[in-house]
Amino acid sequence: MALNTSVAGVALGGYVCNASGPRDATLEELEVIANSGSSAIVMKSCTREPREGNEEPRYSRLAFGAIQSMGLPNLGFKAYVGFASQLAGRGKPVVASVAGLSLEDFVLMVGAFQDSAVDLIEVNLSCPNLAGKPPVAYDFSRTAEVLDAVCGLGSKPVGLKLPPYYDFVHHDAACGLIASHRVGFVTCINSIGNALAINPETEAPVIRPKGGFGGLCGDYIKPVALANVRAFFERLAGKVSIFGVGGVKSGSDAFEFLLAGADAVQVATAFENEGPACFGRIASELELILQRKGYSSVDGVKGRLKRV
Ligand code: RRO
């Protein structure tokens, strides 16, 4: 059964890979991903300078997922440029994720990764956890500025990690910008920003940064993620590839993203909870579903959501 696929012309040997975020900030962690069933090695979003991230507690499991406000803890982009050389040649694409704190940072980092061993560059326009810095992708004029500045810096495909949008006017606006720039892929979605979970025993939020407001992850967000994948597929199919992310923890979840139109899925919360065995497990479950339904590849199903 062929689960092989491609994103922006880059071949992936499987449909399931890790997402930028959990367990991907150090070389040791990235080696674990390299040796797992993940079909790509996606690195933690990086900044110009190393960051410790937000104060603890900043991650809390919830009944159906998690809430977190990590605050971009990472080793600084130069470390990831170096890691890319060490991770290249392992039979799977290496994906950089850049989160600039300014336009200049985005230009510097995308330029550096264009000259590196990575295969894809994900430009994170959607981190919800930096106090005073709203996600760039909720401001379409700032998004246009970033795209103008980073899309022509080299030949490696550049993609956008997007926040959830909740109205078609916003999908239309985002797709208008994407269609007028050289964007190879979109990653839908980042966590749902500024959720609040309260512990009634302590009478306090479960995480400390930003008064408890943080990114919602896991099962809670899957329908929103599917909706965004579908909305982008309807507008961009055949022109721009789509990574689906948000609540993928089983083969059935991955199959739903495939029907919605995702070229591949990324796994975050399930990887955090289960460790690297999740990738092979989810891929095997997806394979069984495809077999049972008589499909011989992911391509025969991609985007073929039926009408009711
Ligand atoms: O590090 C984080 O707090 C973080 C990032 Br960069 C992101 O893109 N999305 C998220 O939920 N958390």
Side-chain angles (χ1 to χ4, degrees), residues 239-265:
K239 294 177 227 143
V240 176
S241 302
I242 303 175
F243 272 121
V245 53
V248 177
K249 68 174 187 189
S250 70
S252 180
D253 298 326
F255 184 67
E256 291 170 32
F257 275 87
L258 179 60
L259 288 170
D263 292 284
V265 290

Side-chain angles (χ1 to χ4, degrees), residues 20-21 44-47 51 53-54 58 67-74 97-99 122 124-130 161 189-193 214-217:
S20 184
K44 172 69 184 169
S45 289
C46 61
T47 48
R51 286 171 60 91
N54 290 340
R58 61 192 186 183
I67 187 169
Q68 48 73 31
S69 182
M70 305 306 289
L72 266 166
N74 77 93
S97 176
V98 304
E122 193 174 80
N124 185 350
L125 300 182
S126 47
C127 176
N129 294 332
L130 300 175
K161 176 91 172 257
I189 58 173
N190 209 317
S191 61
I192 293 183
L216 188 64
C217 311

Side-chain angles (χ1 to χ4, degrees), residues 181-192:
H181 291 82
R182 222 170 73 215
V183 173
F185 66 98
V186 292
T187 304
C188 300
I189 58 173
N190 209 317
S191 61
I192 293 183

Side-chain angles (χ1 to χ4, degrees), residues 36-113:
S36 75
S38 176
S39 62
I41 307 167
V42 184
M43 302 192 287
K44 172 69 184 169
S45 289
C46 61
T47 48
R48 180 192 282 246
E49 302 299 336
R51 286 171 60 91
E52 296 283 337
N54 290 340
E55 56 195 335
E56 308 264 3
R58 61 192 186 183
Y59 186 97
S60 182
R61 283 192 194 186
L62 301 175
F64 300 103
I67 187 169
Q68 48 73 31
S69 182
M70 305 306 289
L72 266 166
N74 77 93
L75 302 173
F77 80 99
K78 287 180 186 155
Y80 299 99
V81 168
F83 295 167
S85 313
Q86 292 179 257
L87 296 165
R90 304 287 283 273
K92 45 181 90 169
V94 179
V95 185
S97 176
V98 304
L101 303 179
S102 68
L103 184 63
E104 294 69 33
D105 286 5
F106 276 115
V107 172
L108 175 77
M109 293 191 285
V110 171
F113 283 112

